[in-house]
Amino acid sequence: MDDLSQRHALACHVAREAGMLAMEYFCRRDELTVDAKGVQDWVSEADREVESLIRSRLAETFPRDGILGEEEGWQPGESAGYWVIDPIDGTTNFLRGLPDWGVVLAYVEQDQVQVGVTYAPIHELLYSAVRGQGAELNDQPLKRKEEAVAPDSALIYLGFGARNDLPAYKARLDYLYSCNMDQRRLGSAALALARTADGRVDGFFESRINLWDVAAGLLIVEEAGGWHNYIDRPLPRGEKMGVLACDASLETTLMPLFEIRG
């Protein structure tokens, strides 16, 4: 296998192993030590232990790669690329016993995601992609339908957190409804992007979000035939991002969401 194929195989294996560990914690979540990182921003011992497992597995096979993780930060490497990991994306859902959370790994090289994996343990769904080689869901090819999506039949995930501006969020809601689009909040950007890729929803937008939340999902959307605003653009590593991913037919309709500041 070439390097990307090896990294893809490793990422899929590690995501499943990490998902099993996360599930063990999920089943006894009332016993976990939980700390606040900010307003409505939580971290538990499960997040830390799952990230530690992922880091150790990556280092065993690709010790020269850098790693950027949500909980332990940046670890520089000597190779041309680095991993981006979110051990439990959707921690609030996880801690409250809700099913929508997942393990996320991405490999970045030349400022573009080359491998992306999102695993939802409760749903037993493994989404993955390798740049130029398509996307998969549970080892089967994943491709969005080619038919255009009419705005008045579209369903969009709209992300919001304490770091977002409430008046701007309300304005974006107003805009979506003016286009006759329906919307939801999920609480996991990684799964919102995965569901955009498989066509369960038609798009995802959040104005300020971290790379580890979205890196894998952006590639999965792209390789499944969707569109996102970082296609052919370098990814920022150390700053929050505004992200739009959607069915390609909705790009023009949804781009005004960026014009609403905040």
Side-chain angles (χ1 to χ4, degrees), residues 168-181 250-260:
Y169 178 74
K170 291 178 177 178
R172 292 187 181 103
L173 283 175
D174 288 341
Y175 175 75
L176 291 177
Y177 282 111
S178 75
C179 298
N180 296 313
M181 293 183 170
L250 295 174
E251 173 191 350
T252 300
T253 304
L254 291 174
M255 280 298 289
L257 291 172
F258 283 110
E259 298 172 8
I260 302 171

PDB file of all heavy atoms in Angstrom, residues 168-181 250-260:
ATOM      1  N   ALA A 168     -26.387  37.176  15.239  1.00  0.00           N
ATOM      2  CA  ALA A 168     -26.027  36.672  13.916  1.00  0.00           C
ATOM      3  C   ALA A 168     -26.639  35.292  13.678  1.00  0.00           C
ATOM      4  O   ALA A 168     -27.099  34.986  12.567  1.00  0.00           O
ATOM      5  CB  ALA A 168     -24.509  36.610  13.771  1.00  0.00           C
ATOM      6  N   TYR A 169     -26.642  34.458  14.708  1.00  0.00           N
ATOM      7  CA  TYR A 169     -27.264  33.130  14.578  1.00  0.00           C
ATOM      8  C   TYR A 169     -28.755  33.263  14.256  1.00  0.00           C
ATOM      9  O   TYR A 169     -29.284  32.566  13.377  1.00  0.00           O
ATOM     10  CB  TYR A 169     -27.064  32.354  15.876  1.00  0.00           C
ATOM     11  CG  TYR A 169     -27.699  30.982  15.875  1.00  0.00           C
ATOM     12  CD1 TYR A 169     -27.142  29.931  15.151  1.00  0.00           C
ATOM     13  CD2 TYR A 169     -28.848  30.737  16.617  1.00  0.00           C
ATOM     14  CE1 TYR A 169     -27.712  28.672  15.155  1.00  0.00           C
ATOM     15  CE2 TYR A 169     -29.428  29.472  16.628  1.00  0.00           C
ATOM     16  CZ  TYR A 169     -28.859  28.451  15.904  1.00  0.00           C
ATOM     17  OH  TYR A 169     -29.439  27.196  15.911  1.00  0.00           O
ATOM     18  N   LYS A 170     -29.423  34.165  14.958  1.00  0.00           N
ATOM     19  CA  LYS A 170     -30.841  34.380  14.689  1.00  0.00           C
ATOM     20  C   LYS A 170     -31.059  34.898  13.261  1.00  0.00           C
ATOM     21  O   LYS A 170     -32.020  34.511  12.591  1.00  0.00           O
ATOM     22  CB  LYS A 170     -31.429  35.359  15.703  1.00  0.00           C
ATOM     23  CG  LYS A 170     -31.516  34.800  17.112  1.00  0.00           C
ATOM     24  CD  LYS A 170     -32.065  35.856  18.071  1.00  0.00           C
ATOM     25  CE  LYS A 170     -32.218  35.301  19.470  1.00  0.00           C
ATOM     26  NZ  LYS A 170     -32.702  36.343  20.425  1.00  0.00           N
ATOM     27  N   ALA A 171     -30.150  35.772  12.811  1.00  0.00           N
ATOM     28  CA  ALA A 171     -30.261  36.302  11.449  1.00  0.00           C
ATOM     29  C   ALA A 171     -30.075  35.185  10.423  1.00  0.00           C
ATOM     30  O   ALA A 171     -30.727  35.190   9.368  1.00  0.00           O
ATOM     31  CB  ALA A 171     -29.231  37.404  11.232  1.00  0.00           C
ATOM     32  N   ARG A 172     -29.190  34.249  10.712  1.00  0.00           N
ATOM     33  CA  ARG A 172     -29.001  33.122   9.787  1.00  0.00           C
ATOM     34  C   ARG A 172     -30.237  32.232   9.769  1.00  0.00           C
ATOM     35  O   ARG A 172     -30.628  31.721   8.712  1.00  0.00           O
ATOM     36  CB  ARG A 172     -27.752  32.340  10.179  1.00  0.00           C
ATOM     37  CG  ARG A 172     -26.460  33.132   9.953  1.00  0.00           C
ATOM     38  CD  ARG A 172     -25.213  32.293  10.188  1.00  0.00           C
ATOM     39  NE  ARG A 172     -24.030  33.112   9.973  1.00  0.00           N
ATOM     40  CZ  ARG A 172     -23.280  33.625  10.949  1.00  0.00           C
ATOM     41  NH1 ARG A 172     -23.583  33.373  12.224  1.00  0.00           N
ATOM     42  NH2 ARG A 172     -22.232  34.373  10.667  1.00  0.00           N
ATOM     43  N   LEU A 173     -30.847  32.042  10.922  1.00  0.00           N
ATOM     44  CA  LEU A 173     -32.115  31.300  10.953  1.00  0.00           C
ATOM     45  C   LEU A 173     -33.157  31.993  10.088  1.00  0.00           C
ATOM     46  O   LEU A 173     -33.866  31.342   9.294  1.00  0.00           O
ATOM     47  CB  LEU A 173     -32.625  31.191  12.392  1.00  0.00           C
ATOM     48  CG  LEU A 173     -31.964  30.177  13.312  1.00  0.00           C
ATOM     49  CD1 LEU A 173     -32.530  30.310  14.723  1.00  0.00           C
ATOM     50  CD2 LEU A 173     -32.174  28.759  12.798  1.00  0.00           C
ATOM     51  N   ASP A 174     -33.259  33.296  10.243  1.00  0.00           N
ATOM     52  CA  ASP A 174     -34.223  34.051   9.442  1.00  0.00           C
ATOM     53  C   ASP A 174     -33.938  33.874   7.959  1.00  0.00           C
ATOM     54  O   ASP A 174     -34.873  33.703   7.151  1.00  0.00           O
ATOM     55  CB  ASP A 174     -34.172  35.541   9.802  1.00  0.00           C
ATOM     56  CG  ASP A 174     -34.761  35.845  11.167  1.00  0.00           C
ATOM     57  OD1 ASP A 174     -35.519  34.996  11.679  1.00  0.00           O
ATOM     58  OD2 ASP A 174     -34.457  36.923  11.718  1.00  0.00           O
ATOM     59  N   TYR A 175     -32.665  33.926   7.587  1.00  0.00           N
ATOM     60  CA  TYR A 175     -32.319  33.779   6.168  1.00  0.00           C
ATOM     61  C   TYR A 175     -32.710  32.399   5.648  1.00  0.00           C
ATOM     62  O   TYR A 175     -33.305  32.287   4.562  1.00  0.00           O
ATOM     63  CB  TYR A 175     -30.827  34.008   5.946  1.00  0.00           C
ATOM     64  CG  TYR A 175     -30.428  33.744   4.510  1.00  0.00           C
ATOM     65  CD1 TYR A 175     -30.750  34.648   3.504  1.00  0.00           C
ATOM     66  CD2 TYR A 175     -29.789  32.565   4.142  1.00  0.00           C
ATOM     67  CE1 TYR A 175     -30.438  34.399   2.174  1.00  0.00           C
ATOM     68  CE2 TYR A 175     -29.466  32.304   2.821  1.00  0.00           C
ATOM     69  CZ  TYR A 175     -29.795  33.222   1.842  1.00  0.00           C
ATOM     70  OH  TYR A 175     -29.490  32.955   0.532  1.00  0.00           O
ATOM     71  N   LEU A 176     -32.409  31.355   6.416  1.00  0.00           N
ATOM     72  CA  LEU A 176     -32.760  30.002   5.956  1.00  0.00           C
ATOM     73  C   LEU A 176     -34.268  29.869   5.765  1.00  0.00           C
ATOM     74  O   LEU A 176     -34.733  29.299   4.766  1.00  0.00           O
ATOM     75  CB  LEU A 176     -32.252  28.955   6.951  1.00  0.00           C
ATOM     76  CG  LEU A 176     -30.736  28.772   7.032  1.00  0.00           C
ATOM     77  CD1 LEU A 176     -30.383  27.748   8.104  1.00  0.00           C
ATOM     78  CD2 LEU A 176     -30.158  28.343   5.688  1.00  0.00           C
ATOM     79  N   TYR A 177     -35.023  30.393   6.718  1.00  0.00           N
ATOM     80  CA  TYR A 177     -36.471  30.282   6.589  1.00  0.00           C
ATOM     81  C   TYR A 177     -37.010  31.154   5.457  1.00  0.00           C
ATOM     82  O   TYR A 177     -38.030  30.811   4.834  1.00  0.00           O
ATOM     83  CB  TYR A 177     -37.154  30.602   7.921  1.00  0.00           C
ATOM     84  CG  TYR A 177     -37.079  29.434   8.881  1.00  0.00           C
ATOM     85  CD1 TYR A 177     -36.293  29.501  10.018  1.00  0.00           C
ATOM     86  CD2 TYR A 177     -37.768  28.255   8.628  1.00  0.00           C
ATOM     87  CE1 TYR A 177     -36.199  28.425  10.887  1.00  0.00           C
ATOM     88  CE2 TYR A 177     -37.683  27.182   9.484  1.00  0.00           C
ATOM     89  CZ  TYR A 177     -36.903  27.265  10.617  1.00  0.00           C
ATOM     90  OH  TYR A 177     -36.813  26.183  11.458  1.00  0.00           O
ATOM     91  N   SER A 178     -36.326  32.259   5.148  1.00  0.00           N
ATOM     92  CA  SER A 178     -36.744  33.065   3.996  1.00  0.00           C
ATOM     93  C   SER A 178     -36.535  32.314   2.690  1.00  0.00           C
ATOM     94  O   SER A 178     -37.199  32.608   1.688  1.00  0.00           O
ATOM     95  CB  SER A 178     -35.968  34.393   3.968  1.00  0.00           C
ATOM     96  OG  SER A 178     -34.627  34.200   3.525  1.00  0.00           O
ATOM     97  N   CYS A 179     -35.621  31.346   2.712  1.00  0.00           N
ATOM     98  CA  CYS A 179     -35.384  30.496   1.539  1.00  0.00           C
ATOM     99  C   CYS A 179     -36.230  29.224   1.581  1.00  0.00           C
ATOM    100  O   CYS A 179     -36.046  28.330   0.738  1.00  0.00           O
ATOM    101  CB  CYS A 179     -33.908  30.109   1.459  1.00  0.00           C
ATOM    102  SG  CYS A 179     -32.772  31.483   1.262  1.00  0.00           S
ATOM    103  N   ASN A 180     -37.112  29.137   2.583  1.00  0.00           N
ATOM    104  CA  ASN A 180     -37.966  27.959   2.774  1.00  0.00           C
ATOM    105  C   ASN A 180     -37.160  26.703   3.095  1.00  0.00           C
ATOM    106  O   ASN A 180     -37.583  25.583   2.791  1.00  0.00           O
ATOM    107  CB  ASN A 180     -38.856  27.714   1.553  1.00  0.00           C
ATOM    108  CG  ASN A 180     -39.833  28.830   1.323  1.00  0.00           C
ATOM    109  OD1 ASN A 180     -40.501  29.283   2.263  1.00  0.00           O
ATOM    110  ND2 ASN A 180     -39.925  29.321   0.092  1.00  0.00           N
ATOM    111  N   MET A 181     -35.982  26.907   3.725  1.00  0.00           N
ATOM    112  CA  MET A 181     -35.176  25.778   4.171  1.00  0.00           C
ATOM    113  C   MET A 181     -35.486  25.457   5.627  1.00  0.00           C
ATOM    114  O   MET A 181     -35.691  26.347   6.439  1.00  0.00           O
ATOM    115  CB  MET A 181     -33.690  26.105   4.040  1.00  0.00           C
ATOM    116  CG  MET A 181     -33.198  26.254   2.617  1.00  0.00           C
ATOM    117  SD  MET A 181     -31.410  26.550   2.617  1.00  0.00           S
ATOM    118  CE  MET A 181     -31.055  26.392   0.865  1.00  0.00           C
ATOM    119  N   LEU A 250     -26.650  23.784  -3.790  1.00  0.00           N
ATOM    120  CA  LEU A 250     -27.092  24.781  -2.825  1.00  0.00           C
ATOM    121  C   LEU A 250     -26.020  25.818  -2.499  1.00  0.00           C
ATOM    122  O   LEU A 250     -26.249  26.712  -1.675  1.00  0.00           O
ATOM    123  CB  LEU A 250     -27.524  24.083  -1.526  1.00  0.00           C
ATOM    124  CG  LEU A 250     -28.735  23.172  -1.629  1.00  0.00           C
ATOM    125  CD1 LEU A 250     -28.956  22.448  -0.306  1.00  0.00           C
ATOM    126  CD2 LEU A 250     -29.981  23.944  -2.034  1.00  0.00           C
ATOM    127  N   GLU A 251     -24.862  25.715  -3.132  1.00  0.00           N
ATOM    128  CA  GLU A 251     -23.753  26.619  -2.815  1.00  0.00           C
ATOM    129  C   GLU A 251     -24.170  28.087  -2.917  1.00  0.00           C
ATOM    130  O   GLU A 251     -23.967  28.881  -1.992  1.00  0.00           O
ATOM    131  CB  GLU A 251     -22.570  26.356  -3.742  1.00  0.00           C
ATOM    132  CG  GLU A 251     -21.443  27.349  -3.595  1.00  0.00           C
ATOM    133  CD  GLU A 251     -20.396  27.244  -4.690  1.00  0.00           C
ATOM    134  OE1 GLU A 251     -20.431  26.272  -5.474  1.00  0.00           O
ATOM    135  OE2 GLU A 251     -19.551  28.156  -4.780  1.00  0.00           O
ATOM    136  N   THR A 252     -24.756  28.482  -4.040  1.00  0.00           N
ATOM    137  CA  THR A 252     -25.111  29.896  -4.265  1.00  0.00           C
ATOM    138  C   THR A 252     -26.148  30.364  -3.251  1.00  0.00           C
ATOM    139  O   THR A 252     -26.063  31.487  -2.732  1.00  0.00           O
ATOM    140  CB  THR A 252     -25.639  30.091  -5.688  1.00  0.00           C
ATOM    141  OG1 THR A 252     -24.631  29.696  -6.619  1.00  0.00           O
ATOM    142  CG2 THR A 252     -26.006  31.542  -5.932  1.00  0.00           C
ATOM    143  N   THR A 253     -27.098  29.512  -2.921  1.00  0.00           N
ATOM    144  CA  THR A 253     -28.150  29.892  -1.981  1.00  0.00           C
ATOM    145  C   THR A 253     -27.611  30.056  -0.573  1.00  0.00           C
ATOM    146  O   THR A 253     -28.040  30.952   0.177  1.00  0.00           O
ATOM    147  CB  THR A 253     -29.267  28.831  -1.981  1.00  0.00           C
ATOM    148  OG1 THR A 253     -29.761  28.657  -3.315  1.00  0.00           O
ATOM    149  CG2 THR A 253     -30.414  29.246  -1.075  1.00  0.00           C
ATOM    150  N   LEU A 254     -26.645  29.222  -0.173  1.00  0.00           N
ATOM    151  CA  LEU A 254     -26.161  29.219   1.204  1.00  0.00           C
ATOM    152  C   LEU A 254     -24.988  30.165   1.461  1.00  0.00           C
ATOM    153  O   LEU A 254     -24.731  30.527   2.612  1.00  0.00           O
ATOM    154  CB  LEU A 254     -25.780  27.801   1.615  1.00  0.00           C
ATOM    155  CG  LEU A 254     -26.955  26.829   1.756  1.00  0.00           C
ATOM    156  CD1 LEU A 254     -26.452  25.413   2.015  1.00  0.00           C
ATOM    157  CD2 LEU A 254     -27.895  27.266   2.875  1.00  0.00           C
ATOM    158  N   MET A 255     -24.283  30.591   0.427  1.00  0.00           N
ATOM    159  CA  MET A 255     -23.113  31.457   0.635  1.00  0.00           C
ATOM    160  C   MET A 255     -23.452  32.752   1.382  1.00  0.00           C
ATOM    161  O   MET A 255     -22.616  33.266   2.143  1.00  0.00           O
ATOM    162  CB  MET A 255     -22.444  31.770  -0.696  1.00  0.00           C
ATOM    163  CG  MET A 255     -21.539  30.646  -1.197  1.00  0.00           C
ATOM    164  SD  MET A 255     -20.154  30.291  -0.073  1.00  0.00           S
ATOM    165  CE  MET A 255     -19.140  31.746  -0.327  1.00  0.00           C
ATOM    166  N   PRO A 256     -24.655  33.350   1.223  1.00  0.00           N
ATOM    167  CA  PRO A 256     -24.969  34.569   1.996  1.00  0.00           C
ATOM    168  C   PRO A 256     -24.896  34.392   3.515  1.00  0.00           C
ATOM    169  O   PRO A 256     -24.864  35.388   4.236  1.00  0.00           O
ATOM    170  CB  PRO A 256     -26.380  34.926   1.527  1.00  0.00           C
ATOM    171  CG  PRO A 256     -26.450  34.398   0.136  1.00  0.00           C
ATOM    172  CD  PRO A 256     -25.695  33.099   0.184  1.00  0.00           C
ATOM    173  N   LEU A 257     -24.867  33.156   4.007  1.00  0.00           N
ATOM    174  CA  LEU A 257     -24.721  32.953   5.441  1.00  0.00           C
ATOM    175  C   LEU A 257     -23.413  33.566   5.954  1.00  0.00           C
ATOM    176  O   LEU A 257     -23.331  34.013   7.099  1.00  0.00           O
ATOM    177  CB  LEU A 257     -24.742  31.453   5.771  1.00  0.00           C
ATOM    178  CG  LEU A 257     -26.081  30.740   5.561  1.00  0.00           C
ATOM    179  CD1 LEU A 257     -25.908  29.224   5.743  1.00  0.00           C
ATOM    180  CD2 LEU A 257     -27.142  31.266   6.540  1.00  0.00           C
ATOM    181  N   PHE A 258     -22.380  33.608   5.097  1.00  0.00           N
ATOM    182  CA  PHE A 258     -21.109  34.209   5.479  1.00  0.00           C
ATOM    183  C   PHE A 258     -21.213  35.734   5.587  1.00  0.00           C
ATOM    184  O   PHE A 258     -20.408  36.356   6.281  1.00  0.00           O
ATOM    185  CB  PHE A 258     -20.019  33.853   4.474  1.00  0.00           C
ATOM    186  CG  PHE A 258     -19.478  32.453   4.630  1.00  0.00           C
ATOM    187  CD1 PHE A 258     -19.756  31.484   3.665  1.00  0.00           C
ATOM    188  CD2 PHE A 258     -18.705  32.096   5.709  1.00  0.00           C
ATOM    189  CE1 PHE A 258     -19.260  30.196   3.802  1.00  0.00           C
ATOM    190  CE2 PHE A 258     -18.202  30.821   5.843  1.00  0.00           C
ATOM    191  CZ  PHE A 258     -18.478  29.866   4.891  1.00  0.00           C
ATOM    192  N   GLU A 259     -22.158  36.333   4.890  1.00  0.00           N
ATOM    193  CA  GLU A 259     -22.281  37.783   4.895  1.00  0.00           C
ATOM    194  C   GLU A 259     -22.906  38.305   6.176  1.00  0.00           C
ATOM    195  O   GLU A 259     -22.841  39.510   6.466  1.00  0.00           O
ATOM    196  CB  GLU A 259     -23.108  38.230   3.688  1.00  0.00           C
ATOM    197  CG  GLU A 259     -22.462  37.854   2.349  1.00  0.00           C
ATOM    198  CD  GLU A 259     -23.383  38.119   1.163  1.00  0.00           C
ATOM    199  OE1 GLU A 259     -24.449  38.732   1.387  1.00  0.00           O
ATOM    200  OE2 GLU A 259     -23.032  37.696   0.047  1.00  0.00           O
ATOM    201  N   ILE A 260     -23.512  37.413   6.947  1.00  0.00           N
ATOM    202  CA  ILE A 260     -24.095  37.777   8.250  1.00  0.00           C
ATOM    203  C   ILE A 260     -22.992  37.667   9.279  1.00  0.00           C
ATOM    204  O   ILE A 260     -22.541  36.570   9.613  1.00  0.00           O
ATOM    205  CB  ILE A 260     -25.275  36.864   8.592  1.00  0.00           C
ATOM    206  CG1 ILE A 260     -26.344  36.952   7.493  1.00  0.00           C
ATOM    207  CG2 ILE A 260     -25.846  37.239   9.962  1.00  0.00           C
ATOM    208  CD1 ILE A 260     -27.446  35.918   7.643  1.00  0.00           C
TER     209      ILE A 260
END
